[in-house]
Amino acid sequence: MAITATQNDGVSLIADKFSYDLVETDVEIITSGRRRIPAHSGILASGSPVLTNIIEKPRKIHGRSSKRVIKILGVPCDAVSVFVRFLYSPSLTEKEMEKYGIHLLALSHVYMVTQLKQRCTKGVGERVTAENVVDILQLARLCDAPDLCLKCMRFIHYKFKTVEQTEGWKFLQEHDPFLELDILQFIDEAESRKKRRRRHRREQNLYMQLSEAMECIEHICTEGCTLVGPSSNLDDKSTSQVKTGPCSAFSTCYGLQLLIRHFAVCKKRVDGKGCVRCKRMIQLLRLHSSICDQSESCRVPLCRQYKSRGEKDKKMVEDTKWKVLVRRVASARAMSSLSQTKKKKSEVLLKEEAEDFIRIRNKLR
């Protein structure tokens, strides 16, 4: 539906199921190119509070024309036509958004047309490129469009090297150093957040690995794990205990077994010369004793000894880093146990549902 100026002041517009074909227009909108767009004051006032104030102001009548004149300047004439048409019927084509999206965003902000502003914010945001991102960012700040502003900031952050070579960025450096500083601060904060997230993921990975190691130590010392690996077949001549299935934590359990065997026979540790692998084993045993709540019945070596020594050793008790490590490993262990429980419950439910389905299907046959 297009709006065109006519000599007899006629215009064909439809809004809210009312036809204005036969209603005489009482407003003329003048654009930068001296185009005159006839419109109805009632429609303009219902779509924009700013236009309402303009229409309600007293005016002086010059000449024979009794129509009120409203000037909308600074944007292309066709953009004004699309803007007025939107007030009559809120619809925009992709071609119009592509051609006049930026202009319509400015008009919707100035004349407080919320629905149009939301559409323009989304439409312009989908058309951001390295060449126009700086211009759109400046417009978004002027038009109070925080979503579009954030999208432009993120775009500049992800493609900063490309944006840095554009004319828009060079113009920004010369004429708006404060905005340039805001962008650089945003990029710096985003990179810092990314580093913190990576560090947090690495820490959580470490806590989960230590939690798994604690479970494996208990598993080795309590149940025994003489067969570790994906296969549970043994030679007929072997006298080792045959397990019904593979160990659930193959790599961790196997590495701990090797570490325990080394710890039992290491000569450096016995001679007091020190051994890195033995120190690692001692740290794991100490961590287990700090987490273990069944030290009296625990079968892990040195658990009770470390527990009693820790109670007497004030330095160990007051070691903040050690406390944090123990607390986070215990938390990771609890979360792992909870997720495993939920997984087992879901597997049981799925199995029961499958059995019920098979039973019902057999009955129907």
Side-chain angles (χ1 to χ4, degrees), residues 51-66:
L51 290 173
T52 302
N53 294 333
I54 295 173
I55 291 168
E56 289 178 352
K57 284 182 179 179
R59 62 190 178 90
K60 294 180 181 180
I61 299 174
H62 298 282
R64 296 179 181 179
S65 177
S66 62

Side-chain angles (χ1 to χ4, degrees), residues 149-210:
C149 188
L150 180 60
K151 190 163 188 175
C152 291
M153 285 285 202
R154 287 175 175 170
F155 186 94
I156 294 172
H157 171 218
Y158 294 137
K159 298 189 177 182
F160 182 70
K161 289 185 178 179
T162 306
V163 174
E164 198 178 16
Q165 305 301 320
T166 62
E167 292 297 324
W169 181 260
K170 294 173 183 176
F171 181 86
L172 177 72
Q173 286 181 309
E174 293 178 4
H175 298 88
D176 198 346
F178 291 105
L179 178 55
E180 180 191 8
L181 180 61
D182 287 343
I183 294 171
L184 295 177
Q185 285 178 343
F186 177 87
I187 293 173
D188 184 61
E189 290 171 2
E191 288 296 324
S192 298
R193 285 195 300 271
K194 190 186 293 186
K195 289 178 182 177
R196 285 197 298 270
R197 284 196 296 268
R198 286 175 181 170
R199 185 170 64 249
H200 179 71
R201 281 196 295 267
R202 286 197 300 267
E203 288 174 355
Q204 291 302 315
N205 245 351
L206 174 61
Y207 299 142
M208 290 301 295
Q209 289 173 8
L210 288 172

Side-chain angles (χ1 to χ4, degrees), residues 44-45 47-56 109-113:
L44 299 183
S48 167
V50 176
L51 290 173
T52 302
N53 294 333
I54 295 173
I55 291 168
E56 289 178 352
H109 174 70
V110 171
Y111 293 99
M112 298 177 66
V113 184

